[in-house]
Amino acid sequence: MDDKIEFIAKHKNWFVVKKIKIDENTENIEIARLLASIDETVLNKIVEYLPFDIDKLYKIADEIFQKKKGRITEEEIAQVLKKLKSPATTRKLNEITESKEGKEILKAILNNIILERLGIQTRVSPKVIEKYIENMQTEGLK
């Protein structure tokens, strides 16, 4: 069997295929790009399949921090993270679910929303890897 990575998903109107055949000419960075793309696809879809009111979660996120233009100070970041981890925020999650595990799921999603609004990337972007590959090829960088 040939080395390969295949991700195929079909559910109702959602259909996606991401694959790569791996041979001696395939560079590891190409594999990383595909894996990052699969990760991005899966992360975006997970939220759609959860049984929670995600709009309410975004309202909680808006109360914690709304994305703004310009530089965010370290003090602002500290305040936002303090709000994010506060018992008041945890209590607000009770409006969405009373389940302990459900709150843990929602906390993880909320953490990602807030960190990305702060400009702190929580995932490796396939677009950034693509740009890296392009720059590597044109400039001969590593």
Side-chain angles (χ1 to χ4, degrees):
M1 180 189 251
D2 293 331
D3 286 347
K4 61 185 172 180
I5 298 171
E6 294 181 342
F7 175 79
I8 302 169
K10 177 169 183 350
H11 182 250
K12 298 181 183 176
N13 292 330
W14 180 44
F15 179 71
V16 65
V17 175
K18 296 178 185 251
K19 60 185 176 177
I20 187 171
K21 184 177 177 185
I22 303 168
D23 61 24
E24 65 278 353
N25 297 318
T26 306
E27 294 190 32
N28 286 340
I29 192 76
E30 294 174 55
I31 296 168
R33 175 179 48 188
L34 179 74
L35 293 172
S37 177
I38 292 168
D39 179 59
E40 183 179 71
T41 298
V42 169
L43 183 66
N44 291 337
K45 274 298 175 186
I46 288 171
V47 175
E48 292 180 30
Y49 284 94
L50 292 172
F52 307 118
D53 186 340
I54 299 301
D55 289 338
K56 283 185 181 177
L57 188 65
Y58 274 95
K59 286 178 185 166
I60 294 169
D62 289 345
E63 292 172 15
I64 295 170
F65 182 75
Q66 292 186 16
K67 191 171 183 174
K68 67 176 194 172
K69 292 186 179 187
R71 187 178 175 278
I72 301 166
T73 67
E74 290 176 11
E75 292 80 17
E76 287 175 304
I77 292 171
Q79 285 298 99
V80 169
L81 294 178
K82 187 176 176 181
K83 274 191 206 174
L84 179 63
K85 293 298 180 186
S86 74
T89 297
T90 302
R91 282 192 298 276
K92 288 177 186 171
L93 295 177
N94 282 328
E95 298 170 14
I96 302 172
T97 182
E98 293 179 10
S99 159
K100 179 184 174 191
E101 294 79 9
K103 279 187 275 237
E104 288 301 313
I105 292 166
L106 292 171
K107 280 181 187 178
I109 296 167
L110 184 60
N111 289 343
N112 284 334
I113 292 167
I114 296 300
L115 290 174
E116 288 189 17
R117 286 182 180 182
L118 290 171
I120 301 169
Q121 294 302 312
T122 59
R123 308 303 261 209
V124 177
S125 164
K127 291 176 185 146
V128 174
I129 293 176
E130 179 67 36
K131 187 78 174 161
Y132 175 79
I133 291 170
E134 287 172 17
N135 289 341
M136 232 175 52
Q137 292 169 344
T138 57
E139 299 172 19
L141 298 175
K142 293 224 179 205

